[in-house]
């Protein structure tokens, strides 16, 4: 729980209320004088505090659509008139308040005969608006290969196609692109024309960046579109953009009731269909053989979807146990006995320590009832919190405000969080994670990633590759072949390091090339619990 003196307020957005001129002036005075060091959220610039509304004609002249104008104006207004909540109302959710993934078959027993009927109510949405810029790529992130000849989009298509074939159903794959990925993605999906999966695309909104000091928009009216002046407003735009595209209405007409939303780069975000297996163990006792049969998995389970259906859930957010490397993303919290998603980027750096005990991590795997979304949109009651970032362009600090889809959890009447195992959260956002995915730690089976049974532990090794490996092009140059990581616990690589072919890493391996030096790991070498420094100085760990 929080220490009272360490946290005073937290920004949590709700629609601004109307106020009298006197109370409005008092609010502005409080904002102007509010320099409380305990404030969690970065303060507005002086000029931005009193920024006037933007003219609708001006926004139309820079190329915004009518629904984009309304959404952008509301978001900007909420940013200026940020609400505050009291720390005594913030709670770290109790584990007992979450639905445990491993007990779903008990809480909501599945009728196996209705598996196909249930799947036919589902559509899958992959968030595909990002570029692989973090890994030095300029194209759509979905085009990055995670195995020879297999990219993220291939994985998603293979998984859904296999499901459609096995159950004789029609689960469509829907890709939400941004203006950055739209053209490339539409070309990419052409190769799946003969596959048993219906692929549809729609494009999310584009919002203009603003100057931080005035909150005026960067794009100028009636000028050529410049991508640097615009940004996709976050995954939370998926609901309104789906409605604008006409796909929301079409899905409802086609009998779809649920959508499953996840990031394209999360290879663990699959529909949890698993076959039953029997494991027979032989045990000798007094010259008699005794057999113990253990049921490993339920037959054809659609555990999460089935629970969402039977319990009439409007919004289900998958969360997992947070680990030390989870630092960019969101945690689950409770406010006034209602679940909320708190993005850590909302918080000042020096206040992040106050949330170290918040252990339920957002996977961004989301289950949503389509009728509930439709009703909230039509009644204009789907209002999401936001996170803000301050990019710099031409030496000027800008503002862009984004809304994560997971923040919708507080909008829906019957919402819940499902505590899922870590294998449902396998994002690949860095070359360190890419190395793990491409290694023999995992096997790819019809669009699903499976831990290699030859690995004796289910723990995934901690891999830290230095900045020399940060781009995919450099990463590929530095590995002649992907090392054997089956028995690896920890790998740290720093400096100018190159790996030969058929290398094997075991236990803890630390390789450091000092400035101006280069380390070449020979072909066929096995490193177990070793520290390598200098040009090739090997020591036991």
């Amino acid at each position: 729980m929080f220490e009272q003196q360490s946290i005073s307020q937290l920004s949590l957005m709700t629609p601004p209320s109307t106020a009298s001129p006197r109370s409005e002036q008092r609010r502005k005075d409080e904002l102007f004088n509010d320099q409380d060091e305990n404030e969690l959220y970065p303060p507005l610039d002086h000029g931005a505090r009193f920024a006037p509304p933007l003219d609708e004609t001006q926004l139309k002249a820079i190329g915004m659509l009518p629904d984009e104008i309304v959404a952008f104006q509301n978001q900007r207004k909420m940013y200026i008139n940020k609400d505050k909540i009291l720390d005594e109302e913030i709670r770290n959710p109790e584990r007992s308040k979450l639905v445990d993934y491993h007990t779903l078959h008990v809480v909501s027993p599945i009728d196996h005969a209705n598996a196909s009927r249930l799947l036919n109510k589902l559509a899958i949405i992959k968030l595909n608006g990002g570029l692989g810029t973090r890994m030095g790529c300029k194209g759509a992130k979905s085009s990055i290969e995670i195995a020879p000849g297999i990219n993220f989009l291939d994985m998603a298509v293979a998984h859904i196609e296999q499901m459609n074939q096995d159950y004789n159903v029609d689960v469509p794959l829907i890709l939400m692109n941004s203006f950055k990925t739209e053209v490339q993605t539409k070309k990419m999906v052409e190769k799946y024309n003969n596959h048993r999966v219906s692929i549809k695309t729609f494009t999310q909104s584009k919002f203009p960046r603003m100057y931080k000091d005035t909150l005026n928009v960067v794009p100028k009216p009636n000028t050529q579109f410049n991508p640097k002046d615009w940004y996709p407003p976050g995954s939370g735009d998926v609901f309104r953009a789906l409605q604008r595209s006409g796909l929301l209405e079409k899905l409802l007409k086609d009998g779809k009731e649920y959508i499953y939303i996840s990031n394209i780069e999360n290879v663990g975000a699959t529909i949890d269909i698993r076959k039953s297996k029997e494991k027979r163990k032989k045990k000798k006792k007094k010259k008699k053989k005794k057999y113990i049969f253990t049921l490993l998995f339920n037959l054809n389970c659609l555990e999460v979807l089935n629970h969402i259906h039977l319990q009439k859930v409007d919004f289900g957010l998958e969360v997992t146990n947070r680990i030390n490397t989870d630092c960019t993303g969101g945690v689950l919290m409770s406010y006034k006995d209602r679940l909320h998603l708190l993005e850590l980027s909302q918080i000042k750096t020096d206040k992040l320590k106050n949330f170290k005990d918040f252990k339920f991590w957002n996977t961004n795997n989301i289950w949503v009832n389509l009728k509930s979304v439709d009703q909230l949109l039509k009644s204009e009651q789907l209002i999401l919190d936001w996170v803000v970032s301050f990019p710099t362009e031409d030496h000027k600090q800008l503002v862009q405000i984004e809304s994560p889809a997971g923040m919708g959890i507080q909008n829906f009447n019957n919402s819940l969080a499902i505590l899922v195992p870590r294998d449902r959260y396998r994002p690949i956002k860095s070359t360190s994670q890419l190395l793990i995915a491409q290694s023999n730690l995992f096997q790819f089976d019809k669009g699903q990633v499976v831990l290699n049974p030859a690995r004796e532990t289910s723990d995934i090794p901690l891999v830290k590759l230095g900045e020399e490996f940060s781009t995919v092009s450099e990463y590929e140059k530095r590995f002649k072949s992907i090392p054997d990581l089956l028995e690896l616990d920890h790998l740290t690589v720093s400096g100018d390091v190159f790996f030969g072919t058929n290398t094997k890493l075991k236990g803890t391996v630390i390789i450091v090339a000092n400035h101006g030096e280069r380390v070449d790991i020979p072909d066929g070498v096995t490193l177990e619990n070793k520290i390598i420094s200098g040009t090739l100085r090997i020591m036991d760990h």
Side-chain angles (χ1 to χ4, degrees):
M1 198 52 56
F2 296 102
E3 294 181 5
Q4 197 71 18
Q5 68 272 18
S6 63
I7 292 184
S8 62
Q9 296 163 332
L10 170 67
S11 174
L12 184 68
M13 302 314 302
T14 54
S17 58
T18 57
S20 66
R22 181 175 296 179
S23 61
E24 179 67 13
Q25 182 59 48
R26 184 168 61 249
R27 183 193 68 79
K28 288 185 176 182
D29 291 341
E30 290 171 352
L31 275 174
F32 183 76
N33 295 319
D34 182 12
Q35 299 296 333
D36 186 355
E37 64 177 10
N38 289 327
E39 174 73 44
L40 291 181
Y41 202 80
L44 290 172
D45 282 2
H46 173 61
R49 292 172 185 266
F50 312 111
L54 294 174
D55 183 70
E56 184 176 338
T57 305
Q58 176 191 2
L59 297 178
K60 193 173 181 178
I62 64 174
M64 296 189 74
L65 299 173
D67 72 303
E68 290 177 330
I69 293 174
V70 172
F72 174 71
Q73 288 278 45
N74 287 339
Q75 194 176 62
R76 182 179 179 273
K77 187 185 299 183
M78 289 191 296
Y79 174 60
I80 296 171
N81 299 277
K82 59 177 184 173
D83 287 350
K84 298 169 184 176
I85 62 175
L86 302 176
D87 64 295
E88 61 263 22
E89 298 288 354
I90 302 173
R91 298 288 184 271
N92 194 349
E94 298 177 13
R95 190 186 183 99
S96 60
K97 300 296 184 182
L98 278 61
V99 177
D100 190 336
Y101 176 88
H102 295 292
T103 65
L104 288 176
H105 66 285
V106 176
V107 178
S108 302
I110 191 165
D111 181 355
H112 305 299
N114 286 328
S116 296
R117 179 184 60 83
L118 193 57
L119 282 171
N120 270 325
K121 297 177 180 291
L122 177 68
I124 295 176
I125 296 181
K126 291 290 184 179
L127 303 173
N128 185 48
L131 304 176
T133 51
R134 192 177 298 183
M135 292 190 281
C137 299
K138 296 181 179 179
K141 190 181 296 182
S142 53
S143 66
I144 296 175
E145 289 192 358
I146 55 175
I150 301 175
N151 59 34
F152 288 119
L153 186 54
D154 294 330
M155 291 281 290
V157 171
H159 171 56
I160 298 173
E161 182 177 32
Q162 189 65 45
M163 183 167 54
N164 286 340
Q165 291 175 350
D166 290 346
Y167 291 87
N168 192 29
V169 293
D170 181 21
V171 177
L173 170 62
I174 303 173
L175 301 170
M176 184 176 82
N177 304 318
S178 69
F179 65 87
K180 299 178 179 181
T181 63
E182 179 183 14
V183 174
Q184 182 185 3
T185 301
K186 286 185 176 180
K187 291 181 179 179
M188 288 171 60
V189 301
E190 290 177 358
K191 70 177 183 178
Y192 307 113
N193 287 339
N194 296 323
H195 290 245
R196 186 171 174 172
V197 55
S198 172
I199 303 177
K200 304 180 186 303
T201 66
F202 68 101
T203 306
Q204 69 181 115
S205 305
K206 63 181 189 300
F207 280 7
R209 285 175 166 174
M210 297 176 286
Y211 294 108
K212 187 183 178 186
D213 55 351
T214 63
L215 294 190
N216 289 328
V217 295
V218 175
K220 299 295 186 290
N222 305 312
T223 58
Q224 186 175 359
F225 177 77
N226 184 354
K228 292 183 179 180
D229 296 343
W230 299 80
Y231 68 95
S235 59
D237 188 58
V238 63
F239 306 114
R240 193 182 66 254
L242 189 69
Q243 181 193 50
R244 182 178 67 235
S245 70
L247 279 173
L248 176 56
E249 183 180 0
K250 186 179 187 308
L251 289 171
L252 288 169
K253 286 182 177 179
D254 290 344
K256 304 300 181 183
E257 296 182 20
Y258 309 102
I259 50 175
Y260 177 46
I261 305 169
S262 62
N263 295 337
I264 190 75
E265 75 275 9
N266 181 7
V267 294
T270 60
I271 306 303
D272 54 339
I273 299 176
R274 299 174 291 189
K275 302 291 185 181
S276 68
K277 297 179 182 179
E278 276 189 335
K279 184 177 181 181
R280 190 169 77 167
K281 296 180 180 178
K282 187 184 294 184
K283 184 177 180 182
K284 292 183 179 181
K285 186 177 181 181
K286 295 181 179 180
K287 298 182 180 180
K288 292 183 180 180
K289 295 179 180 178
K290 182 178 180 181
Y291 293 95
I292 302 173
F293 292 88
T294 305
L295 185 67
L296 296 184
F297 297 121
N298 296 319
L299 177 63
N300 298 338
C301 43
L302 298 163
E303 293 174 339
V304 180
L305 177 59
N306 184 61
H307 183 78
I308 297 293
H309 177 68
L310 291 182
Q311 304 300 323
K312 302 185 186 306
V313 175
D314 296 318
F315 189 101
L317 178 66
E318 293 185 22
V319 297
T320 193
N321 287 315
R322 182 181 180 184
I323 61 176
N324 291 336
T325 55
D326 292 331
C327 53
T328 303
V331 293
L332 193 69
M333 73 171 186
S334 175
Y335 178 68
K336 293 185 176 180
D337 297 322
R338 194 172 182 88
L339 291 176
H340 287 257
L341 178 65
L342 174 68
E343 287 285 328
L344 296 182
S345 59
Q346 289 178 282
I347 308 303
K348 284 181 178 180
T349 303
D350 61 330
K351 302 303 177 186
L352 287 174
K353 61 182 180 295
N354 297 305
F355 295 91
K356 66 181 183 301
D357 294 328
F358 283 61
K359 294 298 185 184
F360 302 123
W361 190 255
N362 173 34
T363 67
N364 218 37
N365 301 343
I366 303 167
W367 301 81
V368 186
N369 183 297
L370 276 170
K371 291 181 180 178
S372 298
V373 169
D374 188 49
Q375 291 170 0
L376 285 176
L377 286 170
K378 288 178 177 177
S379 61
E380 299 182 353
Q381 293 181 352
L382 186 56
I383 302 167
L384 305 180
D385 292 345
W386 44 263
V387 295
V388 63
S389 59
F390 304 104
T392 300
E393 192 71 39
D394 295 330
H395 306 292
K396 293 184 178 180
Q397 199 161 22
L398 309 178
V399 174
Q400 61 183 51
I401 307 168
E402 302 177 31
S403 294
M407 288 184 168
I409 194 169
Q410 66 206 47
N411 282 253
F412 293 80
N413 289 327
N414 187 14
S415 60
L416 54 79
I418 306 167
L419 183 59
V420 300
R422 194 75 190 183
D423 59 12
R424 292 189 62 74
Y425 181 62
R426 297 209 188 283
I428 300 176
K429 299 180 178 181
S430 67
T431 53
S432 297
Q433 293 169 331
L434 184 62
L435 175 63
I436 293 173
Q438 291 182 337
S439 75
N440 57 347
L441 285 167
F442 292 103
Q443 298 172 344
F444 296 91
D445 181 22
K446 297 170 183 175
Q448 298 193 64
V449 177
V450 181
L451 187 67
N452 191 331
R455 182 166 171 83
E456 295 182 353
T457 175
S458 60
D459 293 338
I460 306 302
L462 178 61
V463 173
K464 297 180 180 179
L465 300 179
E467 61 181 16
E468 291 80 5
F469 292 77
S470 61
T471 67
V472 172
S473 59
E474 280 296 317
Y475 163 87
E476 291 176 343
K477 284 196 305 186
R478 293 174 181 276
F479 287 102
K480 286 185 180 179
S481 68
I482 301 300
D484 180 337
L485 304 184
L486 266 182
E487 299 177 60
L488 179 70
D489 297 322
H490 180 139
L491 171 66
T492 294
V493 183
S494 176
D496 193 14
V497 179
F498 290 79
F499 288 80
T501 59
N502 302 318
T503 56
K504 185 178 292 188
L505 308 177
K506 299 181 178 182
T508 297
V509 177
I510 300 173
I511 305 173
V512 179
N514 297 325
H515 181 69
E517 298 176 338
R518 169 172 167 161
V519 171
D520 288 275
I521 307 300
D523 296 345
V525 73
T526 295
L527 299 176
E528 181 174 4
N529 295 323
K530 297 294 183 183
I531 298 175
I532 298 178
S533 65
T535 52
L536 195 60
R537 182 164 167 257
I538 302 178
M539 298 170 285
D540 289 336
H541 177 264

